[in-house]
Amino acid sequence: MPLRFRTLDVTLILGAAVALGTTGCSGGGGGGTPIQPGPSPTLAFGAPITVATGGAGGRSAVVADVHADGLADVLIANETLSTISVLRGQPDGSFAMGPVLPAPLTVGALVVADVNGDQIVDVVAASSVANDAGAAVGRGDGSFNLPAAIAMPWPTAKIDAVDWNRDGITDLVASAATTTELAVLPGLGAGAFGAPVTLSIGYIAADFAIADVNRDSLPDLVATGAGGLGIDVFRNDGAGGLLPPATTATDARGGRLVCCDLDGDRLPDVVAVDASLESVTVFRGAGNSSFSVGPQIGVGAIVESLALGDLDGDGELDLVIAAGTGVHAAYGDGSGAFGGVETIRAGAAAPSSVVAADLTGSGFVDVLYLESGNQLARLANPRSRTVVGLDGFGIGTPDCAGPIGMWAKGGPQVGDAEFYYYATNAPADSIGWFLQGGPRNEAGIPFAGVLVHVDLNPILATRFVTSDQIGSAVVVDAVPNNAGLAGLEIHTQTLWLADAATTCSTSPGAIVSSRGLTVTIQP
């Protein structure tokens, strides 16, 4: 039963036919014993759907809605051609070739965000061999202006966008490719950035993630790399810079990590590649900038990249791994532990830059990865989109990454004490509103700058809900054991408060919304 997040009922009105119950959440458990591979696949993924990227040396694939059409697109940095390929998302989750954008020499780092405050996706790319970067402002139709130069202190390994100093303007955070430094570049507005604030860390940071690890409402940086002791936390100093590291000393120095709450305690955890490069370790966040060492997961091949997403729809995050010549999955149990590694795609040609994403807002997380640097491959989630008692509708008002998905455990049965809803692709680490009402409205009713797909009169229930660091959320909602409820239709949707500095929502309150979901209770 998924118990990742707590929700709070705030409204029950108009004598609804059923009062749907409150929910509770908890987490914990785990150990340090290596996990053996599972005997049979949990999900049987089919052959990938591939599309040529129009580039070469592809890396740093990222998902964003650059066409503002409610569908997820993919952007890929072509290192050997110094270009960026844009692949346009289609309603069925496939992709069509889009424009090819100019990029800095030997482009290696790529991030998408709204850097000029016009609620349109922009692209920032940086060179891995020169002190160059550029911000290409989006036009909202999939095209971009020529990039404006950004002076970097060194060649860049990775770059990310966040409102680091909480002034309402997007900043950049970067790691060096050739020196032992990190940097914060303060946003000045209109897509310009100020002089970098650097910090020497003693090793080249091969990978990093941004999360609030000490719950002070400021973003921090979690890094790893060869030459470091293990997992380093560089806290936000509150003045636009980074504090010296707090280190979880361990042999996890392989250079790839992902960060998210894995056990439902609202504290970011980390999964990082070990020094052997053929296994990963879970590190559980303690909320004070430190981590405790959790389970180790043997992969058996050199790990190239990692991603997190709920593949099997059980409300818990799963781990996706590109390693050797295959793509693999380890399914999470909600306590911060994972089952055995299962191969979901064998014989992939040098898979890299793996991504787990809900491309269409269906609530189903697919797997994307690059093959041989010039093909994008999509492994479609094999779970059935046709479930008796569940019917999605509308498109909502997406944020920068594309549609916000809405789905549920399965056909809701009378007496199902473990029934739950879940959202995908919501704003990360955010608060939202879960609405139950009706009747449904396919086109949507404009409200606070977003489309609401459920009639707000009458309302069955409204409650607060929170998302994790990758924008997924679970709402446990038991169905009472009352035979008279069979056939009852309940229409649901989620609204989310996005980060005002980085959102692509045109709502004055930086609100975005999911599509709707109709639930019909089954006997």
Side-chain angles (χ1 to χ4, degrees):
M1 177 177 179
L3 295 174
R4 287 173 51 206
F5 305 109
R6 184 181 303 278
T7 59
L8 174 65
D9 293 331
V10 295
T11 309
L12 288 174
I13 63 175
L14 297 179
V18 54
L20 298 174
T22 58
T23 66
C25 307
S26 63
T33 303
I35 299 174
Q36 300 302 315
S40 60
T42 300
L43 291 179
F45 285 83
I49 301 167
T50 60
V51 58
T53 65
R59 55 181 297 188
S60 303
V62 295
V63 173
D65 181 11
V66 301
H67 292 86
D69 59 359
L71 297 172
D73 309 307
V74 176
L75 291 86
I76 301 161
N78 298 310
E79 188 173 46
T80 56
L81 299 181
S82 301
T83 61
I84 298 169
S85 294
V86 179
L87 300 180
R88 183 167 187 174
Q90 305 298 301
D92 63 356
S94 63
F95 296 93
M97 189 65 200
V100 176
L101 311 178
L105 178 67
T106 316
V107 58
L110 181 68
V111 66
V112 293
D114 176 18
V115 300
N116 63 346
D118 62 356
Q119 288 77 51
I120 297 174
V121 177
D122 309 313
V123 179
V124 178
S127 170
S128 61
V129 298
N131 298 17
D132 296 329
V137 172
R139 298 170 180 156
D141 59 359
S143 65
F144 295 83
N145 294 336
L146 290 175
I150 302 172
M152 301 297 292
W154 16 249
T156 304
K158 182 173 181 176
I159 195 165
D160 209 342
V162 64
D163 184 7
W164 185 263
N165 56 11
R166 290 299 189 242
D167 65 352
I169 302 174
T170 303
D171 310 307
L172 298 177
V173 181
S175 61
T178 56
T179 62
T180 58
E181 286 189 325
L182 301 170
V184 177
L185 284 76
L188 304 178
F193 298 89
V197 179
T198 61
L199 176 69
S200 178
I201 63 173
Y203 63 91
I204 294 176
D207 200 4
F208 67 81
I210 294 174
D212 180 6
V213 298
N214 57 357
R215 310 314 291 173
D216 63 354
S217 299
L218 293 172
D220 307 301
L221 187 147
V222 183
T224 186
L229 292 175
I231 305 299
D232 286 323
V233 173
F234 298 90
R235 292 165 294 164
N236 193 318
D237 66 3
L242 295 154
L243 294 172
T247 302
T248 295
T250 180
D251 204 26
R253 294 174 289 177
R256 293 290 184 270
L257 62 79
V258 287
C259 184
C260 199
D261 177 19
L262 300 175
D263 53 15
D265 61 0
R266 298 295 299 158
L267 300 174
D269 308 305
V270 171
V271 182
V273 179
D274 301 330
S276 71
L277 305 182
E278 294 189 357
S279 60
V280 300
T281 298
V282 177
F283 299 89
R284 293 193 175 93
N288 59 359
S289 304
S290 68
F291 295 85
S292 61
V293 180
Q296 184 187 60
I297 307 168
V299 180
I302 293 177
V303 177
E304 197 285 333
S305 61
L306 303 169
L308 289 168
D310 182 8
L311 299 179
D312 56 1
D314 67 351
E316 312 298 350
L317 292 180
D318 308 312
L319 182 65
V320 185
I321 307 165
T325 59
V327 181
H328 316 275
Y331 294 89
D333 66 3
S335 73
F338 294 86
V341 171
E342 304 173 9
T343 298
I344 60 176
R345 169 60 176 165
S352 63
S353 300
V354 68
V355 178
D358 178 1
L359 302 175
T360 61
S362 63
F364 292 79
V365 173
D366 298 329
V367 175
L368 304 173
Y369 58 93
L370 296 175
E371 283 190 333
S372 303
N374 62 3
Q375 283 196 115
L376 177 69
R378 171 191 174 230
L379 291 170
N381 195 305
R383 292 190 295 122
S384 175
R385 266 75 167 174
T386 303
V387 177
V388 175
L390 297 180
D391 180 27
F393 61 95
I395 60 171
T397 303
D399 203 6
C400 302
I404 300 173
M406 189 73 187
W407 200 241
K409 169 191 173 185
Q413 302 288 323
V414 168
D416 186 352
E418 297 185 358
F419 184 73
Y420 56 86
Y421 301 88
Y422 57 86
T424 54
N425 210 25
D429 202 14
S430 178
I431 188 169
W433 298 267
F434 174 75
L435 308 179
Q436 292 174 310
R440 74 188 206 175
N441 188 304
E442 300 276 351
I445 306 166
F447 174 78
V450 301
L451 291 178
V452 175
H453 289 293
V454 296
D455 194 326
L456 299 182
N457 185 25
I459 299 175
L460 289 180
T462 303
R463 62 186 70 174
F464 292 118
V465 63
T466 53
S467 64
D468 60 21
Q469 287 79 27
I470 63 170
S472 62
V474 172
V475 183
V476 181
D477 208 2
V479 180
N481 190 17
N482 182 345
L485 297 177
L488 176 68
E489 286 190 352
I490 303 170
H491 310 289
T492 69
Q493 188 179 16
T494 55
L495 275 60
W496 296 93
L497 182 63
D499 187 332
T502 59
T503 185
C504 296
S505 171
T506 57
S507 164
I511 298 172
V512 293
S513 65
S514 75
R515 70 169 189 166
L517 178 68
T518 295
V519 170
T520 304
I521 297 178
Q522 304 298 299

